[in-house]
């Protein structure tokens, strides 16, 4: 890199740092100002104030609407400035390898429909279920849920933030989704310093559903079959007749589980998963050594 490029890069970083610092230092006031704001106002605030802003989405209904709103804002601004329309916020999609085919179809369809740049990230060192299962065994989610969550979501998301230089993201979380989300704020700063914007935090499922239908927003066709929240196929089911919670169809057989880890403490998730992965690696090595020793002692006897 040339010296002038280095200077330009470090001054961009300093500028971004200053903007993020400003948000961190004024978080309470910002949230007071945005607490009753419309999603569009929150999105506009984020575009104007946050550097290296992306949208992290699994194309849940909230994410689909966020893309739609960003697309409208991008168009209005381009027309006003007399410049070609460009979707202002790139997308990050973590392909866990266990999404429903409908979700994968939607991801490609929506990115194309909105002409949005989309970065797809996969679990480390794998791009297919076969590769993943050769490495970690079948149904890892049954054997070790935390490690599974870390490998398929937390690590790829963090890798995307580091590689792309992401400083802030839109998420599709809403208060009416319950559990930890019931007290969401419009803007949060996580333990890594990443700013998270929850533009539709105040909207109910009914509001997002109506917006999607009234505005011809591409959404997951599984919603028309009764699903309300869609994640990996093995942990997503239809909400039961008496279930009122929006996310009651997620991890139905796992009492107390409400999050995949993406919105939990990153360092805790990382340390726990890395410890387990180290232990598993040691166990594998011990097993291989025992097998080798067994084979070595068995050979002379067999020969004799
Ligand atoms: N795979 C993947 N890739 C990128 N971003 C993702 C992913 N999974 C979750 N998210 C982000 O978290 C928002 C809430 O998703 P969910 O309600 O499905 O919860 S969970 O994250 O699975 O626990 C979700 O909101 P949507 O944009 O509505 O999908 C995203 O902002």
């Amino acid at each position: 890199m040339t010296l002038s490029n280095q200077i330009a890069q470090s001054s961009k970083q300093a500028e971004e740092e200053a903007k993020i610092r400003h948000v961190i230092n004024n978080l309470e006031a910002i949230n007071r100002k945005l607490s009753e704001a419309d999603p569009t106002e929150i999105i506009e605030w984020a575009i104007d104030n946050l550097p290296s802003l992306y949208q992290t989405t699994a194309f849940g209904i909230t994410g689909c609407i966020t893309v739609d709103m960003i697309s409208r804002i991008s168009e209005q601004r381009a027309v006003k400035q007399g410049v070609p329309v460009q979707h202002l916020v790139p997308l990050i999609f973590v392909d866990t390898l266990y999404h429903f085919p409908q979700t994968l179809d939607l991801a490609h369809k929506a990115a194309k429909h909105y002409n949005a740049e989309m970065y797809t990230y996969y679990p480390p060192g794998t791009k297919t279920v076969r590769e993943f299962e050769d490495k970690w065994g079948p149904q890892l989610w049954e054997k070790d849920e935390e490690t599974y969550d870390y490998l398929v979501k937390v690590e790829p998301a963090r890798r995307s933030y580091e590689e792309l230089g992401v400083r802030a993201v839109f998420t599709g979380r809403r208060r009416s989704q319950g559990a930890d989300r019931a007290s969401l704020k419009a803007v949060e700063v996580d333990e890594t310093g990443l700013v998270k914007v929850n533009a539709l935090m105040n909207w109910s499922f009914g509001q997002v559903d109506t917006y999607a239908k009234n505005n011809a927003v591409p959404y997951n066709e599984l919603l028309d079959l009764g699903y309300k929240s869609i994640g990996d196929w093995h942990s997503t089911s239809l909400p039961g007749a008496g279930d009122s919670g929006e996310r009651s169809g997620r991890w139905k057989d796992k009492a107390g589980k409400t999050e995949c880890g993406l919105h939990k403490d990153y360092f805790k998730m990382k340390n726990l998963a890395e410890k387990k992965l180290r232990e598993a690696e040691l166990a594998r090595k011990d097993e291989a050594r025992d097998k080798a020793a067994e084979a070595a002692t068995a050979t002379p006897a067999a020969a004799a």
Side-chain angles (χ1 to χ4, degrees), residues 47-88:
I47 292 174
D48 290 336
N49 291 282
L50 296 173
S52 296
L53 174 64
Y54 288 69
Q55 179 185 351
T56 177
T57 184
F59 297 89
I61 183 93
T62 320
C64 294
I65 292 175
T66 309
V67 190
D68 189 81
M69 290 177 168
I70 292 170
S71 163
R72 288 165 198 272
I73 292 168
S74 303
E75 198 173 328
Q76 283 159 10
R77 290 189 175 202
V79 169
K80 214 166 162 185
Q81 292 162 13
V83 295
V85 180
Q86 192 199 351
H87 191 83
L88 289 172

Side-chain angles (χ1 to χ4, degrees), residues 56-60 63 94 153 171-172 181 247 250 260 262-263:
T56 177
T57 184
F59 297 89
V94 175
K153 278 239 182 131
T171 89
R181 303 184 183 182
R247 300 179 81 240
R250 303 285 297 276
C260 67
L262 208 54
H263 306 294

Side-chain angles (χ1 to χ4, degrees), residues 2 61 64 95 97 107 156 168 173-175 177 181 190 198 205 243-244 255 275 286 303-304:
T2 64
I61 183 93
C64 294
D95 184 344
L97 307 174
R173 290 172 303 156
R174 287 178 291 104
R175 288 182 177 166
Q177 290 167 333
R181 303 184 183 182
D190 80 2
N198 310 304
F205 184 81
D243 293 338
S244 55
K275 182 169 169 276
D286 282 352

